[in-house]
Amino acid sequence: MGDMLGAESPHGNLPGAWIEPRGLLNHRKWSPASMAALHVAREAVAASGWSKEELEDAALVVGTSRGNAAGWLGPWPERRPFKLMAASNTIHSEPATAISIELGIFGPNHVLASGCSAGLDALGVGKMMIDSGLVERALVVAVDLPLVPLLLDNYANSGLLAKSMRLNPFSADTGGFIPGEGAAAIALSSVEEGVLRLEYFANNSDGADPVGVPKNGGRTMRLLKKAVEICGKPGAICPHATGTAIQARSERMFYSQENFPEGGTMHLLKPFIGHTVGASGLLESAILLRFMSDSKLPPNLEGTVGTGGWNVFSEAIPCVGPVFKLAHGMGGHNAVAVFETTS
């Protein structure tokens, strides 16, 4: 991260992933996180083909863990300073406010801050609003820019940061995550035919520890069993798999051969993009869906190992059966989304 934070940074020799070009994040009013969110929101709306009138009535759901830490807890180039609480960009809700104002979205508006699960939870809330008949369309956005010195100091002091550029979450020597900036947006609709479907979403809480992961794997298996009961056995799974040893220990339990004797394929995406914290669940979902739109599933980085009876391939493979995406937030928050192709 020395290339971005400077050689004098105590984290300069550690790997990280950030958005280029940096100009995408610069604005005299909106925060860097809001600018990243706006960029992907505009892309998703353009791809959806929604009219101005359709967009006005849509729901907007934003997921973020660290909100506007970037540009608030530390200086940001080309950004004028704001006094604390003098403007909305000192709080989590500003990305949603910026999107609503800039894109003209006046429907239900929600911001979720459920840690590293925030992006996937935002997708679930969007689905629930559509399924309930509240709206016909929902724009779901997730963003986090965690490469802030104060945040990195705390991650490092907790022993959570990886020292190697080669992230291999289920390998024996895994010991930390690679922090990454990320933003993603997905347009959900009940009225437009397509080849992709968000079939199911659910979340729960371990209720065991304010920050930790239970040694017994927590209540994730309850989520998975219910998802299997409703959607069928997964053809593929994309785990949270941050790279920390404690996360790997927990996930090995619920992806074990005992729980999934038939296995399937496993797709680990953080070795490519790093851990984008609250954006990770939605960003990885967007990657999965892009491959699924071509009836494929993404490759794993060469040399990546899996766990249990799951197969790990280093090339793109055909998409067969339901695809499960998992996310977990510190404090024992678990979420699962199930995607399917309709053709």
Side-chain angles (χ1 to χ4, degrees):
M1 289 185 279
D3 289 345
M4 191 185 78
L5 300 176
E8 70 282 359
S9 169
H11 314 293
N13 64 334
L14 298 179
W18 54 90
I19 296 170
E20 293 282 5
R22 301 306 277 172
L24 287 174
L25 308 180
N26 291 334
H27 195 270
R28 294 289 287 172
K29 177 180 180 181
W30 301 125
S31 73
S34 294
M35 289 306 296
L38 271 166
H39 180 75
V40 294
R42 288 184 175 120
E43 293 284 317
V45 168
S48 73
W50 294 349
S51 68
K52 180 178 180 295
E53 291 73 22
E54 289 168 337
L55 193 59
E56 285 181 359
D57 295 327
L60 173 62
V61 191
V62 176
T64 181
S65 174
R66 298 300 178 182
N68 285 301
W72 174 29
L73 297 180
W76 195 271
E78 299 181 29
R79 177 168 164 76
R80 63 188 176 92
F82 284 90
K83 294 180 180 179
L84 185 65
M85 299 305 294
S88 65
N89 53 35
T90 58
I91 55 178
H92 283 70
S93 63
E94 197 220 61
T97 301
I99 294 170
S100 177
I101 291 171
E102 297 285 347
L103 273 63
I105 301 177
F106 310 120
N109 184 302
H110 295 272
V111 179
L112 304 179
S114 47
C116 300
S117 185
L120 203 61
D121 286 332
L123 190 65
V125 169
K127 173 179 170 54
M128 285 188 284
M129 283 196 286
I130 289 176
D131 289 348
S132 70
L134 183 63
V135 294
E136 292 183 335
R137 297 170 181 82
L139 180 62
V140 182
V141 183
V143 61
D144 257 319
L145 306 178
L147 302 190
V148 175
L150 181 58
L151 296 179
L152 293 171
D153 290 346
N154 284 280
Y155 288 141
N157 291 338
S158 300
L160 295 175
L161 295 183
K163 295 180 172 59
S164 170
M165 184 66 76
R166 179 65 177 92
L167 186 64
N168 204 341
F170 289 121
S171 65
D173 59 353
T174 192
F177 72 85
I178 295 176
E181 296 180 337
I186 292 177
L188 297 178
S189 175
S190 65
V191 297
E192 295 162 7
E193 293 295 327
V195 298
L196 303 171
R197 182 170 66 245
L198 173 54
E199 185 71 17
Y200 178 78
F201 173 84
N203 62 20
N204 70 9
S205 173
D206 294 325
D209 189 279
V211 293
V213 177
K215 292 182 179 180
N216 64 0
R219 299 172 71 87
T220 298
M221 267 318 298
R222 288 175 178 258
L223 279 183
L224 288 171
K225 286 179 179 178
K226 188 66 174 180
V228 170
E229 178 184 322
I230 293 174
C231 303
K233 296 176 181 178
I237 200 158
C238 178
H240 192 54
T242 62
T244 64
I246 189 171
Q247 187 74 53
R249 180 187 66 194
S250 182
E251 288 183 291
R252 287 188 191 104
M253 292 182 185
F254 44 79
Y255 297 134
S256 68
Q257 203 148 18
E258 178 183 356
N259 289 326
F260 290 96
E262 298 179 19
T265 60
M266 181 171 280
H267 304 265
L268 293 90
L269 296 178
K270 289 181 178 67
F272 291 103
I273 60 175
H275 184 14
T276 56
V277 198
S280 62
L282 196 69
L283 177 56
E284 292 172 34
S285 293
I287 294 170
L288 287 172
L289 291 168
R290 179 61 188 88
F291 275 85
M292 290 176 68
S293 68
D294 293 328
S295 299
K296 294 181 179 180
L297 289 168
N300 289 282
L301 195 63
E302 186 76 39
T304 299
V305 299
T307 188
W310 299 86
N311 296 308
V312 177
F313 297 103
S314 56
E315 65 275 350
I317 61 171
C319 178
V320 179
V323 178
F324 285 35
K325 170 62 194 147
L326 276 289
H328 307 279
M330 291 183 71
H333 184 102
N334 312 300
V336 60
V338 180
F339 304 108
E340 293 196 32
T341 59
T342 58
S343 61

